[in-house]
Amino acid sequence: MDYHQKALNIQKSGSPKAMTAETCVLMGMVKCKIGEFKSALNLYEDSLLVLKNALGEDHSSSWKTMAQIGSLHFELSNYEQSMAILLEAERWQLSSVGEEDRDTLETQALIGRVLSATGQYEMALVKLTDVCEKQRKLFGSKHPTISDTLTYIGECFLDQEGMATEARLQFVECYNMRKEFFASDQIHIAESMVDIIRARSGQPDRALAIYRNAMEVYKEYLSDDHVLIGRLLVFEGDSHAELHDFSTAIERYEQAKSVFSKAFGGECAVDSALVAVNIGKVLLRKCDYDSAKTSFTSALDIYQQILPEGHPKITSALNHLDRVEQEEALCV
């Protein structure tokens, strides 16, 4: 980031506006990696305006930046905006570099992720599988980009009830591929280990050991309020809840809640809703019906703002609220 800032300061003194904008895009990519989503979005959007004016909408720098904006809206749970922007970027890419270009395939993989997040699982799997096959033709059997796509496919399976085995197969293949490119103490390997154990239920003690190791890796590279650390705190909370250590579970969820609030600027995000759901589950098990109802209602409100009607997560939140009513009635 320091080098990009120094380059930007030099470029502002007389370089073409497009060159300055491209440096801002690189700075935005760094901001996104370190979890500063809002700052990254501002850099991308300002740069895109400059690039379109200076180079044209059909220039590669323009549609690459467009794809970055779409990716960032995905991270912020702005799925409708993300899909619209990514489809536009894909249109420009298909007309200029074709369907087997690396950038086109990465954009299409992001489209697959949005389809998965919005509950369109079958379409998502078709899209992601097609991308993966084309990436194998382009890069060979093993490549870091292919491993990312395998993770997206695994996430799509894991989001569907009863498909943990299919998800685990994708995560294991991803892990084995990443071992070819990354050291054991790097984030990509830690993420894969976390994904694999998440797809293998019923082993909370083993999961906690893996999560602790992953947390050490994450904290070596990331700030304490990075969204990946927040998600790992949620997974730790889940394992503590499975072990009936409810106080520690709630503690982890509250820590995650604080991370997500900072990362997403207090706006609605799917991660925040998941925390609310998991807190509600623990409170329900403790027979704290009023607090559980409040937590599930909070999750439902977020889901209804960011997800399409009839999404499985909305249905699940409604079912949790019904269960609260039923269990509370039995206690009267």
Side-chain angles (χ1 to χ4, degrees):
M1 178 61 81
D2 289 341
Y3 289 110
H4 291 321
Q5 186 63 59
K6 289 177 182 177
L8 182 62
N9 292 337
I10 295 170
Q11 290 166 351
K12 283 180 177 179
S13 64
S15 298
K17 289 184 177 180
M19 185 181 295
T20 303
E22 287 176 340
T23 299
C24 287
V25 170
L26 293 173
M27 291 175 65
M29 292 172 69
V30 175
K31 292 278 189 182
C32 190
K33 287 291 186 184
I34 62 177
E36 296 181 14
F37 298 135
K38 294 291 187 179
S39 179
L41 185 59
N42 290 335
L43 284 167
Y44 286 152
E45 290 179 337
D46 291 344
S47 299
L48 182 59
L49 291 174
V50 174
L51 291 168
K52 282 183 175 180
N53 289 331
L55 304 175
E57 199 168 27
D58 59 344
H59 193 278
S60 62
S61 293
S62 296
W63 45 252
K64 283 182 181 179
T65 304
M66 203 179 298
Q68 293 288 349
I69 293 172
S71 173
L72 198 43
H73 277 296
F74 171 83
E75 294 293 341
L76 294 169
S77 301
N78 299 331
Y79 300 126
E80 190 172 341
Q81 286 177 270
S82 177
M83 180 63 86
I85 294 168
L86 290 171
L87 288 174
E88 186 179 357
E90 181 193 36
R91 179 171 63 83
W92 285 112
Q93 289 168 328
L94 289 172
S95 65
S96 58
V97 294
E99 64 178 14
E100 295 190 359
D101 176 79
R102 173 177 183 156
D103 293 316
T104 304
L105 292 173
E106 287 186 4
T107 298
Q108 290 177 335
L110 288 168
I111 291 172
R113 296 191 78 190
V114 178
L115 289 169
S116 179
T118 53
Q120 301 173 75
Y121 301 123
E122 187 173 343
M123 292 177 62
L125 285 172
V126 169
K127 191 78 169 179
L128 291 168
T129 301
D130 180 63
V131 167
C132 195
E133 290 173 356
K134 289 176 180 175
Q135 287 173 334
R136 290 184 193 276
K137 291 179 183 177
L138 189 63
F139 301 121
S141 60
K142 295 180 180 180
H143 192 275
T145 302
I146 297 173
S147 70
D148 290 341
T149 305
L150 290 170
T151 295
Y152 305 154
I153 295 172
E155 288 172 347
C156 185
F157 278 126
L158 196 58
D159 279 345
Q160 301 177 69
E161 189 173 349
M163 303 201 77
T165 299
E166 290 82 352
R168 188 164 62 252
L169 290 173
Q170 301 297 320
F171 293 145
V172 169
E173 184 178 357
C174 171
Y175 171 72
N176 289 330
M177 193 176 297
R178 283 178 169 173
K179 286 194 299 183
E180 301 286 328
F181 304 100
F182 303 105
S184 60
D185 61 348
Q186 289 186 293
I187 288 177
H188 291 81
I189 298 299
E191 281 186 298
S192 287
M193 291 293 292
V194 168
D195 287 336
I196 291 168
I197 197 63
R198 285 174 57 222
R200 187 185 293 276
S201 60
Q203 300 183 35
D205 288 313
R206 183 182 177 192
L208 282 172
I210 290 173
Y211 297 154
R212 280 192 286 268
N213 289 337
M215 188 67 81
E216 289 180 8
V217 175
Y218 285 5
K219 289 195 171 185
E220 183 176 348
Y221 296 98
L222 306 172
S223 64
D224 289 342
D225 55 3
H226 194 283
V227 67
L228 286 179
I229 287 180
R231 289 169 185 161
L232 193 53
L233 287 166
V234 174
F235 304 150
E236 286 187 359
D238 294 342
S239 293
H240 282 293
E242 193 173 349
L243 291 167
H244 298 269
D245 183 359
F246 298 136
S247 60
T248 305
I250 291 289
E251 180 183 330
R252 295 292 186 274
Y253 293 146
E254 290 294 342
Q255 290 171 342
K257 185 177 178 181
S258 177
V259 169
F260 295 145
S261 178
K262 186 170 183 179
F264 302 118
E267 296 185 10
C268 294
V270 70
D271 290 292
S272 300
L274 177 61
V275 170
V277 167
N278 292 2
I279 289 174
K281 287 179 180 179
V282 171
L283 293 171
L284 180 58
R285 294 174 75 176
K286 294 175 66 177
C287 299
D288 187 346
Y289 301 116
D290 289 340
S291 297
K293 191 183 302 182
T294 298
S295 199
F296 288 137
T297 300
S298 175
L300 178 62
D301 180 59
I302 295 172
Y303 283 148
Q304 288 178 327
Q305 291 186 59
I306 63 177
L307 298 174
E309 185 178 353
H311 191 285
K313 284 184 169 63
I314 293 177
T315 303
S316 178
L318 288 168
N319 289 339
H320 287 312
L321 283 167
D322 285 342
R323 185 181 171 191
V324 173
E325 296 287 350
Q326 293 170 8
E327 294 200 12
E328 188 174 19
L330 290 173
C331 288
V332 174

